[in-house]
Amino acid sequence: MSIDFPKEEEAVLKRWREIKAFETQVELSRGKQPYTFYDGPPFATGLPHYGHLLSSTIKDIVPRYWSMKGRYVERRFGWDTHGLPIENEIEKKIGLRGKTAVAKLGIEQYNEKCREIVMTFSREWRTIIERLGRWIDFDNDYKTMDTTFMESVWWAFAELYKKELVFRGYRVQPYSTALNTPLSNNEAQSNYKDTQDPAVIVTFPLLSDPQTCLLAWTTTPWTLPSHTGLAAHPDFEYVKILDEESGKNYILLEALMKTLYKDPKKAKFKVVDHFKGRDMLGWRYEPLFDYFYEAFKDYGFKVLNATYVTAESGVGIVHQSPSFGEEDYNIAMEAGVITTERLPPNPVDEQGIFTAEVRDFAGQHVKDADKAIIKYLKGTGRLIRDSQITHSYPFCERSDTPLIYKAVSAWYIKIPPIIPTMLDNIANSHWTPDFVKSHRFANWIANARDWNVSRNRYWGTPIPLWTSEDYKEVVCIGSIEELKKLSGFQGKITDLHRDKIDNITIPSKVKGNPPLRRIEEIFDCWFESGSMPYASSHYPFENQEQFHASFPGDFIAEGLDQTRGWFYTLTILGNYLFGCSPFKNCIVNGLVLAEDGKKMSKSKKNFPDPTIILDKFGSDALRLYLINSPVVRAEPLRFKESGVKEVVAKVLLPLWNSYKFFSDQVLLLKKVENLDFHFNPESECSNSNDMDKWILASCQSLLKFVNEEMEAYRLYTVVPKLLELIDNTTNWYIRFNRRRLKGEFGIEDTQRALNTLFEVLFILVRALAPFTPFITDNIYQRLLPYIPESERAKDPRSVHFLDFPEVREELFNEEVERRVTRMQRVIELGRISRERRTIGLKQPLKTLVVIHPDDLYLSDVRSLENYICEELNVHNLLLSSDEKKYNVQYSVSADWPTLGKKIKEKKAEEEKAKGSRETNAKANGAVTAGGRGFTAKDSEVDATAMEGKNKKGKKKDDKDNKVLNDVRKALSSMLSEDVVRFAHEGKIELAGIEMVSEDLIVKRGLKEDVATKNLETNTDDDVLTILDTELYPGLVHEGIAREIINRVQQLRKRAKLVPTDDVGMQYKILSDVDKVGIEEVFESHGKTFEKALRRPINVHNPTKLEGEVADAKQEDVLVEEEQEVQKATFLLKLVKL
């Protein structure tokens, strides 16, 4: 039976809906110990991509596992419904931005339009998340725009305000002119692009010497009208040159002359003077523009010192525009150029347009004004170099327009005071992988700055601050009730958005003053998502007991980018409000990239649509592909459709086929013996079959491992082990026990083997259930009839209602696991030997010799001799500890990279020792050069000595090469006895160097001659195998017989027959060109055929009737096909009985 996994999954999904599987599972665990999972809220304004599917898979696996481990796990979906993503969509639709859009629509209509599109793709999200198999509550979801959620956000902010952690500041921030709002540093770093900008050099003539000009280089000419100063590094050496072309003196960093001249060596200039940056401090000069001259002539337009100036680019002197550069702002503040009262020039409005203060460029967007400013400066003779530069520049993630840095008034939360606490608390949390916590996240926190939580926008949670116009009176509101009380508002407040509360005022406590009004800003949406643990349950206004019982959360999971996003804001608020990290365990995944390693792009169409992948291969395949990849270790994954397809072929199909084989044998048992199979878990304790004991012991080892690793949240180690058990089941247990399962060794043994296989499958479907929820529930439903009522779960309708399988200590068996492991190794070595000689497994061979010095090892192999002989298709297995009997030869080669490194390290130690013997000469004021000593009295260095010094490195390399050559010679002269001694002792001296086992590779084999030409050896550095590959005549026929059996079985598959279908089998010889004896094989191996196929293969003898050959009736022939084995051809027919 072929299987269509996506179609089967749809059927499972339908059944889950019918029985309300998720709701039932949650209800079954109600009252048990809670396990708290926080779901980071996505926006519903776009469709889910592979990154979402990856995180959703992780967020499904872990809660499913802990549910099966007896925990009560609520899972509520969350939506991020506020902020720029939604506003940006509205503004794209109406073609207007920011205040212009609000002015046209009015804030009430603007917010209503935002509300309308918030859940645009919620239905699609629900469909694809459910199709993925993720169990999560969409009906009881939380949204950041819910009034209950917003009120809890107010409470959180008010708590911070009470602790004096909130302040209003005027600072330089990343700023989106398209969205008219400042952004957080995290947002500004999420969308860097290579872009081309102007790069200009302008002059600043000294007031004391107008012919001498300070030079400054900038890639933002639009900031020059707001210029207030120049910064030079105090420790750098600057040069004053006479430029012969202009006749003027220029001052710049000597190391950066290449910025001024394309080829400084060919440029015509003269060096006039040198001085340090500290010597330039206070030099005054003529500014480029007069717009702000009067306001800053007494404080600015002079040289300042700043250590942030670099010697890597530009001219070593940096133009200062304090409103548009954070470092500029700080330096200007320290130097007294600006103060809290004397703010820096800031002639740019909210939309990035120059104001009337800059009369020559008023009305132009700053980025568009670059060309006009360059043209103006060329006209005044102040611009001396104009070029273009391509560099990485931040763009607004939402509008995809260039950001600027701009000084704005904003509301901040103090971060430095909480940094030590945050670092201590995250150290006690568990992250997978750990390096994300200990390096990336800890470093980000250690260097964190105050958090700008305000946005000059409209659709979001309003910041609950009511102030006077001069901000001297400020009231922070923490609840709806408090707002009504302080404002005297009599109506109902059911919505906290701006259009509903901005008109509410609070009377001033200062007599005669106007009422306090709410500030215009709303919250950064990261503040809202960071409040999710308590805001989603309307804490502290409701659910206090429930919240305290479940906080901090047990588990969260998101992508690597959230170390500067959700993980960060959760951590800040959790530590400030509750004094702890708000989550105990965190899984961080990497990025899912396109197959070419680039970012997935809808416009480039460089990745397959997720829905197509789900429809083509199914959810289980996609889930396993994503989870069993580097992306779960926070590394990038190049998504390949072929990888998902491979999971189907190598994991899901083998698992399904294992179940199908079990099912077929159960049906066969019923047909042949009229016996019904019933699972008996207790019978395994008395099972004496080694392979049964081995596979059951393997299951216990797996379960123990899975429990340990899942508690450590290492999904990347769990999945390979689960897949290993599938491989052990299909390629070892079933393969090696086919004859037992088919009934060849009696009914009792067959039932025991079927019971073992059932136990393994039952363990597998439960252990794999969190990872592949569809196929496991599918197989479980088919296994359920064989489970006695007494052994069934309280609600047995789904595998996901069951407990995770318990480890059965009584089934552990280290001895059997050791024996089977050794058997597997011998078989693997034998298989490789066959492959080297290109001899298929169907061709019987005479003898396999296994050599090992340990009698216990040989005894282990002997105990499973039948399995080895059957699998490798050899007649005899010889075991020996006597290598001399088989004339085993030893040889050795070097691990040259390791050995070369060792030799260099040894020589370095010798050089170091030699150097220490020369310290006396140095102590007396002498130095050495080329081996000769010199003192301070020497006025010249001996040329011969210097030459020796220059050749020193070359001589050292020659010496190393000589040592390596000596080692090669010594290795080639080693006798087999020498190698044996080295193998036993683990060390030997060659060419004056002591070699240990890590340096040399020991090889074992047979001497190549006529006597050994048909003997193929193989070893794993422990056991040695010798396979006799000669094809003796009787063995050739046996091999042909096996091939014929295989052809019959393949023909049955093509006829879509199942093991219980009885049919007749006929053959007819067509040709035997090479006289391989095909007819003799059919005649002499009749019993072999009957044993394997449960019925003889009869020769087809048609009779003649009226001159025609009478053949079987066409309707009696099920299938017929011409076959070829070793160039002999014959016709095979399957006919009705």
Side-chain angles (χ1 to χ4, degrees), residues 97-365:
R97 290 199 175 278
K99 282 191 172 180
T100 311
V102 175
K104 180 181 178 182
L105 297 174
I107 190 169
E108 185 172 3
Q109 190 179 349
Y110 181 91
N111 276 359
E112 190 54 40
K113 284 189 174 293
C114 288
R115 189 188 299 274
E116 287 172 3
I117 71 156
V118 157
M119 304 302 287
T120 301
F121 293 109
S122 60
R123 184 177 298 173
E124 288 83 355
W125 267 86
R126 182 165 186 160
T127 299
I128 199 167
I129 294 300
E130 285 184 350
R131 180 64 188 85
L132 185 68
R134 182 181 177 190
W135 279 4
I136 192 159
D137 190 348
F138 278 98
D139 298 323
N140 187 33
D141 58 4
Y142 72 85
K143 302 179 184 72
T144 57
M145 68 179 184
D146 292 341
T147 301
T148 52
F149 192 102
M150 296 169 73
E151 186 177 24
S152 292
V153 171
W154 273 18
W155 166 82
F157 183 77
E159 291 297 300
L160 300 181
Y161 187 85
K162 290 174 189 173
K163 297 178 181 181
E164 299 183 347
L165 297 169
V166 177
F167 69 95
R168 180 173 180 261
Y170 186 76
R171 296 188 178 184
V172 176
Q173 292 283 154
Y175 190 91
S176 171
T177 59
L179 302 178
N180 311 161
T181 188
L183 304 174
S184 67
N185 287 308
N186 170 50
E187 290 171 304
Q189 293 183 15
S190 61
N191 189 26
Y192 268 81
K193 293 185 177 184
D194 284 341
T195 188
Q196 199 172 62
D197 275 320
V200 300
I201 300 177
V202 290
T203 63
F204 295 88
L206 294 175
L207 295 182
S208 60
D209 179 9
Q211 284 300 109
T212 298
C213 302
L214 295 159
L215 301 185
W217 176 87
T218 183
T219 59
T220 54
W222 65 268
T223 61
L224 291 171
S226 309
H227 171 90
T228 61
L230 293 171
H233 196 293
D235 301 326
F236 287 175
E237 185 161 293
Y238 292 83
V239 65
K240 176 180 177 181
I241 63 169
L242 171 62
D243 179 65
E244 294 184 6
E245 184 181 345
S246 64
K248 292 186 177 181
N249 296 322
Y250 295 143
I251 297 173
L252 72 162
L253 193 64
E254 188 169 18
L256 291 171
M257 295 283 276
K258 62 181 182 298
T259 308
L260 180 61
Y261 300 116
K262 287 184 179 179
D263 187 350
K265 292 180 180 178
K266 295 180 180 179
K268 295 181 179 180
F269 66 88
K270 292 179 181 176
V271 175
V272 177
D273 202 356
H274 288 85
F275 25 73
K276 293 283 188 181
R278 66 175 62 91
D279 300 327
M280 299 159 58
L281 183 64
W283 288 3
R284 304 189 71 82
Y285 56 83
E286 181 186 340
L288 295 168
F289 301 96
D290 63 0
Y291 309 133
F292 304 101
Y293 180 76
E294 288 301 321
F296 287 91
K297 65 182 180 182
D298 297 329
Y299 312 103
F301 310 125
K302 60 186 177 182
V303 176
L304 311 174
N305 279 167
T307 54
Y308 79 83
V309 177
T310 72
E312 295 173 3
S313 61
V315 293
I317 300 174
V318 179
H319 129 73
Q320 303 286 287
S321 183
S323 279
F324 306 109
E326 185 178 9
E327 289 165 325
D328 300 9
Y329 185 95
N330 294 336
I331 293 298
M333 186 68 77
E334 289 173 13
V337 178
I338 60 174
T339 65
T340 53
E341 301 299 325
R342 184 172 59 253
L343 297 178
N346 193 347
V348 178
D349 71 9
E350 292 173 336
Q351 295 179 310
I353 305 297
F354 273 126
T355 62
E357 293 170 287
V358 180
R359 56 185 179 274
D360 299 293
F361 314 108
Q364 296 184 44
H365 188 277

Side-chain angles (χ1 to χ4, degrees), residues 22-37 63 66-75 140 546 550 554:
F22 171 49
E23 296 85 345
T24 302
Q25 190 279 320
V26 173
E27 197 57 40
L28 285 169
S29 61
R30 191 175 295 279
K32 296 179 180 179
Q33 183 184 352
Y35 179 91
T36 307
F37 158 66
W66 285 106
S67 292
M68 293 182 77
K69 292 295 288 185
R71 303 287 290 273
Y72 174 68
V73 190
E74 277 193 343
R75 282 153 275 181
N140 187 33
Q546 177 188 333
S550 61
D554 289 288

Side-chain angles (χ1 to χ4, degrees), residues 886-891 1003-1007 1017-1019 1024:
Y886 293 93
N887 196 22
V888 174
Q889 300 292 304
Y890 279 70
S891 62
K1003 298 177 182 177
R1004 286 185 291 171
L1006 303 180
K1007 186 178 180 181
T1017 61
N1018 204 356
T1019 182
L1024 176 70

